[in-house]
Amino acid sequence: MRPRASALAVAFEIALGVALRVALRVALGIALIGAAPLANAQETPDLDASLATCQAHVENEKWAEGEAAVRKLLVDFDEDKRLYGYLEEIEEDLKLCLFRQAVSKPSGEDLFGVAHKRFDLRSRAVTLRYSRPSGRGWEQADGMAILSTRLDGAFTLEFDADAVDRDGARLSVLVCYDIERDGGYVVSPGIERSSGYMSMASTIRRVSGEDMKELGSKPPPRGYKSEGGFVVVRSGASLTLKAGGKTLAKGSDGRFKSGYIAFVGALKSVRNVRLKGKVDKHHLRTMVGEFLGDALAEWEDQSWDRTQELPAWLLDGPAEHQHPSLLQWPRDLPRHGRPALNGVLGKFLNGDELGFVASLRTLPSPLPTLTSHYLAGLAAAAMRQYRKAETNLTRVIDEDPEFGPARIFRGLARFSRRDHDGAREDLEAALKTSPEYPQVHSGLALLRLFAHDVDGAQQILVDATAQGIRDESLDVLRAWVHRARRGPTWTRRFEHETDHYVVRSDHGKKLCYDVATSLESMRKRYARHMGEAQAPGEKARVYVFSDRLGYLEYAGDLGLDLEMTSGVYLPVLRELALWVPADRTDFDSTVRHEGFHQYLHQFVEGAPHWFNEGWAEVFGDTRYLERRKRPAAMQLLVRSRRSVRDLLLADPAEFMSEAPTNYALADELVRFLRDTKDKDFKGLLVAYRDALYAGASRQEAFDEVFEPHIRRLETEFQAALAAAARGR
C-alpha cells in the first residue's frame, strides 16, 4: 500500500479477529435450501448461469438485455432462499441497467454549463466563453482564477483585460499549468510608458517549482495599448502572445503539454474570456465519470424505489434466529463455578486482552484440567503465541470434541500462523457440531477467499444467510465477496488481459493496456530477488479508478479507510486498486510498488511490513530518488533514531503508526542489505526471505537470521544513513 494501511491486518480483524474479541448473538434455524420448481418447466433453471448472464450483460453495457435477465431471474427463482445471499448484486445490476437506459451520454452543457458553445465527446474539441473568470468552471485560490478544465495540446485563448490595474497589480496568465508538478508557463502582457508606469516588456517564462526561465521577451511595439484584447496561442511547442494583430512575445518549449489556464493579478479587469482547444483525455474521462456518478445519485433519489422493483419476500430476508454466546465453558467446569469466571472470559471476548491476561492471575487454583487448558490457550492467543494456543486447545478438543468454542479458537490460532489446512479442518468440524456460531461461517468464507475460491466463499455466505445467521463479520465479508465477484460499481468499464493480470478501469482501454504491460514487465525484476512464482490458478485482478473519489468509495464499500493512499493491494481478494492522478509522474511507481505486494503474496501470507514495504519501495524507486536529492530528508531519518531491531519486529499497527519514517527506513535498509559488501551482512536478505517462505513467523525469522548480527548492523546502518545525509 502506498503509504498507509494493512489490508491483511484489516481483513483479519473484520473476519476472523472478530471471533477473538466479540461475543456474537446469532443462532441457527437449520432449513433445507433448494430452488422452488417451476410449474410446467421443461428444464430447471441454473442459478449460477442466470447470475452470470446478468453480469455479462452489465459488463458489456447491454442495459436492456441486462434488465430483462434480472427480471427473468426473479421470476425463475421466486421464493428461492438462495437469492437472499445475492440480493446486493441483483439490486445493483437492476439499478444500473435502469439508470443507463434513462440517462444518455453527457452533453457539452452537462459538463461545462452555459459557457459551452461547441463540444465533441469523441474528438474532445471544445469552445467555451465566459463573461468573467468566475462562477461554474472556475476556482479561486491564492489570488488566482483557475479554469477547472484541463487542456491538452494546442489552444487559443482570447480575453479582454488591463495589463495593470488601478492598484498597480500586473496581469499574468498561466497556461499549461500543472498543479501537481507545480509548473507551466507564465505569459505577461507588456506595459507602455504612457500609462503612468515604466515601460515593461511582454514576456513568456517557464516556471517549474522555484525555477524560472525566460523563453521570450519583447518591448511594447509602437501604438501598443496595455488595455484591450489579448490572444495567447499554443501550437506544438510554440507559445505566442498577441494584441491588435501584433505579436507581443513568442517562445518555444515542450516540457508542459497539458495543464490548466489561470489568471493572476488584475483579475477584476479580465472579461470576455474565449477559449478554443482540446480537453485532456484523462480529465474528460474524470468529468464524464463524475457526471454519471452525480446523475446516478440523483436518479436514485428521484426514480429508484427498491420496494417496487424487487419482491417483498427478498427484501424482508429470512427470519433471524437468536444464537448462543461464545461465553461457554468446557464440561469439567461445574455450573456453580461458572458465574465467577464469566467476567474474566467476557474480557477476552470483548477485546480487552490485556485485562483478560491480568485477571487470570487472580483466579483460584487449581482449576479443572480442561478449563485450565482452555484459559491457557486463550491467553496464549491474546499474547500472539499461536503455537502454544494450539497446543492447549488441542488438549481440550481431545477430551471434549463437541466443545465448539475450542474448535473455533484453535482454527483461528492455526489461521494466524498461516496453517490454512488446519484452520479449515477445525472450522469444518465446528460446522458439524456447532453450526450456530457465525464465526464458523465467516472463517470458512475467508479461507475460501485466501484459496482463490470466490464462488465457494459466496456459497458459504449464501447458506448462512438463508439459515438466518446474521452478524457484522458476515456482512463485511459479504461486501468483500460481492466486490471480488463484481468489482466496482462503474457506469462504464474497460479491460485488458495478459498472462497474469486482468486490468479493468473506468478510464480507458489504453490505460488498462499500459498498467497490464507494466506489471508483466516487472515480474522479471521481482523474480530476480523473490524467486520465480508459479502461474496462479486465477489471474490477479487490477482495478484502476479514473479519480480518487471512486477509489475511496470502493474502499468504503469494503469498510476500509484509504484516504491517505494512492494505491493498495488487498491480499484477501488478491486484487490491486489504484487511482489515476491528473499528473501521472508517480503513477507508474505506484503500479510497480503495489504489483510487488501481489507478487510476494504468492510465496508468503502476511510478510513482515518492513520486508514487504521496503522491497515495494525499492521497486517503486521514485521516493528514494527524491529523498537522496534532499539531504534534509535523510537527516530526518537519522534524527528519528528508530532502531533496526524495532523496525524488523514492528507489527502492522506499529509500522503504520509512523508510516512515512518507517517506509523510508525500510527502503534504505533493504537497499543497504542488498548492496552490502560486508561478509556478515551479505546474504541476510535472502536467508530472511527463505525463512519466511519456510513458514517462520516475524519473530522466528528475526531470531534465526538477524539476532546474531543485530548490534553491528545497528551501528553500520546508522552510519550509512548519516553518510547519505552528508551527501556522500
Side-chain angles (χ1 to χ4, degrees), residues 254-268:
R255 178 176 297 186
F256 299 100
K257 300 176 181 178
S258 173
Y260 298 92
I261 287 173
F263 292 100
V264 184
L267 293 181
K268 293 181 180 179

Side-chain angles (χ1 to χ4, degrees), residues 191-200 220 223-227:
I191 303 172
E192 82 280 14
R193 183 183 297 273
S194 61
S195 64
Y197 296 90
M198 293 182 61
S199 176
M200 300 183 70
Y224 166 74
K225 297 293 184 183
S226 58
E227 63 272 345

Side-chain angles (χ1 to χ4, degrees), residues 107-117 128 130 136 287:
S107 66
E109 186 167 350
D110 290 328
L111 299 179
F112 305 101
V114 296
H116 115 280
K117 300 305 174 187
L128 304 173
Y130 300 91
R136 178 178 175 179
M287 292 180 72

Side-chain angles (χ1 to χ4, degrees), residues 186 201-207 211-218 250-252:
V186 180
S202 298
T203 60
I204 298 176
R205 293 166 290 173
R206 184 186 71 209
V207 293
D211 299 328
M212 182 175 293
K213 179 181 179 180
E214 187 171 284
L215 303 176
S217 177
K218 191 175 180 181
K250 190 171 184 178
S252 181

